[in-house]
Amino acid sequence: MGQHRLLGICGALRRGSTNRKLLLEAARMYGDAEFAVADLRLPLYDGDLETSAGIPTQVQTLADQIANSDAVLIASPEYNKALTGVLKNALDWVSRVDGNPWLGKPVAIMSANAGRTGGEAGQFSLRLAMVSFNARLLQGPQVMIANSGKEFDADDRLQNERSLATLEKLVQALHNAVDDAG
């Protein structure tokens, strides 16, 4: 297989999000890949909107990015013990497109959170939300960066050696999953 196509999905919209930083750190570790970050600035899912106007262009773009990628990295904070609304909205919209772009797709999940658990409950709820897609969710290692506001330097690089080592193992597992599928 040639150069991998890697899609990054960040469950936070804020430009300075530690999850965006974590996503970019993982992409750097992945190595030589065509990398893109999905745009989750989508309208709220509304069945009436879908009925009257169909699937919005930006939703179809996201679904196509997922379908055309070899693997997906998802980095998302935990909001109130669950995945973020913006990420859930994106999953809900993508579930409405023709076909299933997630089917068999290798997916690695990670989180960076201000709290001390690093987003554990958020990851659990994300895994639950993705069950119906039949993606190939990697089970580990689990990357959960706690107290994330203090874990990145001025250049947005992850500093904790233990977290870096765990992230590297997860990224390598994702890389291997793509190679095994190819």
Side-chain angles (χ1 to χ4, degrees), residues 15-18 20-26 28 151-159:
R15 189 175 344 165
S17 162
T18 55
R20 189 165 306 280
K21 294 173 185 180
L22 181 59
L23 188 63
L24 295 175
E25 188 75 44
R28 279 191 289 270
E151 295 297 323
F152 294 85
D153 67 13
D155 295 321
D156 297 338
R157 301 299 300 267
L158 187 59
Q159 295 304 293

Side-chain angles (χ1 to χ4, degrees), residues 79-131:
Y79 288 174
N80 300 310
K81 302 288 185 190
L83 72 158
T84 65
V86 70
L87 182 54
K88 180 65 166 80
N89 184 58
L91 295 176
D92 290 344
W93 265 120
V94 170
S95 75
R96 305 297 298 160
V97 303
D98 288 335
N100 178 1
W102 293 106
L103 185 63
K105 186 79 54 187
V107 178
I109 293 173
M110 59 196 119
S111 56
N113 228 63
R116 66 178 182 250
T117 65
E120 182 178 30
Q123 281 196 29
F124 178 79
S125 68
L126 174 55
R127 288 179 185 282
L128 184 61
M130 293 205 55
V131 165

Side-chain angles (χ1 to χ4, degrees), residues 121-152:
Q123 281 196 29
F124 178 79
S125 68
L126 174 55
R127 288 179 185 282
L128 184 61
M130 293 205 55
V131 165
S132 63
F133 296 128
N134 289 318
R136 193 165 153 208
L137 290 174
L138 300 183
Q139 297 305 305
Q142 293 182 323
V143 174
M144 295 177 229
I145 310 298
N147 199 18
S148 63
K150 297 181 180 180
E151 295 297 323
F152 294 85

